[in-house]
């Protein structure tokens, strides 16, 4: 199938999800609420103050995680490379958890994003540090270093929970499950700003990613500054993961599933793959969040539980589907 037509179909799917999702939930919203811009009814207030910001935030968070996943998978030439498996999400979660516990005393503007970004950068530096010990970049070494960093920061988060009181510990546990519980228009705007920043950086590397996904030697032979591209991609993913984790918690597997599904239906050319993953990842997380707030309505399931339930079997399928993956 033509790649442009396939991308068009993905966009139609995403638009359909975006159009329907705000009207679904514990309170049914009539379509007439859409035209009530002055918000004179309860339904229109729910629609504009809660549902619409939540759906937009879910879409942008999913797009950001999918974009991170497609870039890291190309750079590592490994379908299992994601912000989650490389420890970037855990580093960001540790930074954000510190702020969650001490927010009352710190009172920094956008402190959650700042601490989360510092945590994600710390994870990236640790992964790079391990590869320096090995005197040279190795895709396998860096991936294994990411797994180790992931466990390290997960242990630090457990330590924070252990020394916290019951209320603080419950807040951290609830937040670690991953939830898109936002209100008002400010959060989607912040997501849009950080996601755009990261996506633009990664889009400038799409041709380099095509070559790096084959081998570093071929990329260098074609004039690509691999080290510079790698640092730019790490920086962009750190920015996007930081804002997602700060507001929604560490939502896993979106960066794994969305790029791989898009790769199966649109091919490996990152000129199309990045754009397709952005749109599909956004629609995917929006759909998961819609299920999360309707399956046991009026209660909600953390959306991270939904993505993990879907992502676990998908991860196993990736492990066993090809001989190359079995060598990991």
């Amino acid at each position: 199938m033509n790649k442009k037509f396939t991308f068009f179909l993905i966009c139609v799917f995403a638009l359909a999800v975006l159009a329907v999702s705000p009207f679904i939930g514990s309170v049914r919203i009539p379509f007439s609420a859409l035209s009530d811009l002055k918000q004179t009814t309860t339904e229109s207030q729910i629609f504009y103050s809660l549902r619409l910001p939540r759906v937009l935030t879910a879409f942008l968070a999913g797009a950001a995680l999918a974009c991170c996943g497609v870039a890291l998978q190309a750079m590592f030439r490994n379908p299992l490379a994601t912000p989650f498996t490389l420890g970037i999400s855990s580093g960001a979660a540790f930074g954000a958890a510190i702020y969650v516990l001490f927010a009352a005393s710190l009172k920094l503007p956008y402190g959650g994003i700042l601490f989360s970004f510092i945590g994600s950068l710390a994870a990236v530096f640790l992964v790079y540090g391990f590869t320096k010990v090995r005197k040279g970049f190795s895709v396998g070494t860096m991936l294994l270093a990411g797994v180790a960093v992931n466990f390290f920061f997960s242990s630090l988060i457990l330590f924070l929970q252990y020394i916290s009181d019951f209320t603080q510990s419950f807040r951290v546990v609830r937040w670690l499950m991953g939830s898109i519980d936002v209100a008002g228009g400010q959060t989607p705007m912040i997501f849009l700003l950080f996601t755009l920043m990261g996506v633009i950086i990664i889009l400038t590397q799409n041709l380099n990613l095509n070559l790096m996904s084959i081998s570093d030697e071929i990329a260098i032979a074609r004039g690509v500054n691999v080290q510079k591209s790698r640092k730019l991609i790490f920086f962009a993913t750190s920015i996007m993961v930081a804002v997602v984790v700060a507001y929604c918690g560490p939502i896993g597997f979106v960066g794994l599933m969305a790029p791989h599904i898009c790769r199966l239906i649109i091919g490996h050319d990152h000129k199309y793959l990045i754009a397709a993953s952005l749109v599909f990842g956004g629609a995917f997380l929006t759909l998961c969040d819609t299920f999360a707030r309707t399956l046991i309505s009026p209660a909600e399931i953390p959306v991270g539980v939904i993505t993990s339930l879907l992502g676990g079997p998908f991860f196993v399928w990736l492990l066993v589907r090809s001989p190359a993956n079995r060598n990991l």
Side-chain angles (χ1 to χ4, degrees):
M1 190 182 293
N2 184 281
K3 289 180 180 178
K4 291 183 179 177
F5 184 67
T6 305
F7 180 65
F8 171 75
L9 291 180
I10 294 172
C11 290
V12 170
F13 166 68
L15 285 174
V17 171
L18 282 173
V20 173
S21 293
F23 298 95
I24 301 174
S26 56
V27 176
R28 298 187 67 177
I29 307 293
F31 286 105
S32 58
L34 188 63
S35 58
D36 186 10
L37 298 178
K38 293 183 179 179
Q39 303 180 31
T40 56
T41 63
T42 304
E43 287 80 7
S44 63
Q45 289 172 4
I46 293 173
F47 179 83
Y48 283 107
S49 301
L50 298 176
R51 294 278 178 81
L52 195 56
R54 180 166 181 159
V55 166
L56 293 176
T57 301
F59 185 85
L60 290 167
L65 292 173
C67 186
C68 293
V70 73
L72 292 172
Q73 286 167 18
M75 190 172 75
F76 284 92
R77 299 185 290 281
N78 192 307
L80 305 182
T82 68
F84 219 73
T85 54
L86 288 169
I88 300 173
S89 291
S90 294
F94 174 66
I98 292 176
Y99 189 74
V100 168
L101 295 179
F102 301 105
S105 54
L106 292 172
K107 293 180 180 177
L108 291 173
Y110 305 109
I113 297 176
L114 178 63
F115 274 69
S116 185
F117 182 58
I118 292 171
S120 61
L121 280 183
V124 168
F125 282 127
L126 278 176
V127 172
Y128 249 102
F130 284 128
T131 60
K132 292 294 181 184
V133 172
R134 290 288 298 268
K135 296 181 180 177
F137 174 77
S138 160
V139 171
T141 302
M142 190 171 279
L143 193 58
L144 289 174
V147 173
V149 169
N150 185 22
F151 281 112
F152 174 71
F153 280 112
S154 297
S155 301
L156 289 178
I157 293 171
L158 287 176
F159 176 71
L160 284 179
Q161 286 179 253
Y162 182 74
I163 62 173
S164 305
D165 59 35
F166 178 79
T167 305
Q168 290 175 325
S169 182
F170 179 78
R171 286 178 61 198
V172 173
V173 169
R174 184 69 180 77
W175 168 76
L176 285 173
M177 291 180 183
S179 179
I180 303 170
D181 189 13
V182 301
Q186 187 181 14
T187 305
M189 291 304 294
I190 293 171
F191 266 78
L192 182 63
L193 175 67
F194 282 87
T195 303
L196 267 180
M197 195 186 305
V199 167
I200 288 171
I201 293 173
I202 287 178
L203 281 176
T204 61
Q205 302 298 311
N206 63 351
L207 297 178
N208 295 349
L209 285 172
N210 277 342
L211 297 170
M212 290 167 69
S213 64
I214 301 171
S215 77
D216 284 354
E217 290 76 16
I218 291 177
I220 293 169
R222 297 293 180 90
V224 176
N225 186 334
V226 172
Q227 291 292 340
K228 183 181 176 183
S229 292
R230 197 172 288 143
K231 289 176 182 175
L232 283 172
I233 291 166
F234 269 135
F235 179 73
T237 53
S238 297
I239 288 175
M240 289 191 281
V241 169
V243 71
V244 173
V245 171
Y247 282 94
C248 306
I251 299 172
F253 293 106
V254 179
L256 174 74
M257 288 189 286
H260 207 75
I261 292 170
C262 290
R263 196 175 288 111
L264 289 174
I265 60 179
I266 206 166
H268 295 263
D269 187 351
H270 287 81
K271 179 180 176 183
Y272 297 99
L273 182 58
I274 293 174
S277 298
L278 276 169
V279 178
F280 184 82
F284 174 74
L285 189 57
T286 305
L287 204 56
C288 287
D289 184 55
T290 305
F291 281 118
R293 57 186 161 82
T294 53
L295 281 178
I296 58 170
S297 178
E300 290 187 11
I301 304 171
V303 69
V305 175
I306 301 288
T307 58
S308 296
L309 285 173
L310 296 172
F314 193 87
F315 191 91
V316 174
W317 175 71
L318 280 181
L319 278 174
V320 301
R321 69 181 292 268
S322 71
N325 291 334
R326 293 190 190 108
N327 293 330
L328 286 170

